[in-house]
Amino acid sequence: QVQLMESGGGLVQAGGSLRLSCATSGSVFSFNAMYWYRQAPGKQRELVAHITTGGGTGYADSVKGRFTISADNAKNTLYLQMNSLKPEDTAVYYCAAAKFRTYWGQGIQVTVSS
């Protein structure tokens, strides 16, 4: 059974930083790709960043240059380093992993105050 568990969210001032973690039930390399999504109040779920088994990464334009996705196989953990946070980054952030289907974490709140 695939399990994904996010941690590291919370409240931060604009301009601050947070690092989200997503612990997986197995090796991150067992997945074809992993993702961070977010959903702000009243808005659709948005793809924030992805990473492939080959190490390729991609980012939404809204976070490019501020967020970094990475994976640590030794810890079976996916990370999202978020710098220069803005109030519009406030959302529930979700870890997701793709293999035969897409698996989702529970989500974790990130709130950026102005």
Side-chain angles (χ1 to χ4, degrees):
Q1 297 182 31
V2 173
Q3 295 185 79
L4 306 174
M5 297 179 61
E6 301 97 337
S7 62
L11 175 65
V12 66
Q13 295 276 343
S17 298
L18 285 173
R19 188 178 72 165
L20 302 183
S21 298
C22 174
T24 72
S25 57
S27 172
V28 295
F29 294 140
S30 70
F31 301 104
N32 302 124
M34 296 193 73
Y35 310 84
W36 286 101
Y37 283 80
R38 68 185 181 188
Q39 187 165 22
K43 296 186 177 181
Q44 298 284 80
R45 187 168 296 186
E46 171 191 21
L47 176 62
V48 175
H50 77 270
I51 187 167
T52 68
T53 54
T57 59
Y59 300 90
D61 287 343
S62 58
V63 307
K64 199 169 297 180
R66 300 188 297 118
F67 291 11
T68 303
I69 188 171
S70 62
D72 185 337
N73 185 54
K75 296 182 178 180
N76 294 329
T77 301
L78 179 75
Y79 299 99
L80 184 68
Q81 179 66 46
M82 305 186 294
N83 298 327
S84 302
L85 284 161
K86 304 174 180 179
E88 50 263 47
D89 294 318
T90 295
V92 176
Y93 283 71
Y94 298 88
C95 174
K99 193 172 184 179
F100 303 111
R101 56 160 290 176
T102 300
Y103 302 90
W104 295 88
Q106 292 281 97
I108 190 164
Q109 180 70 46
V110 171
T111 302
V112 184
S113 65
S114 58

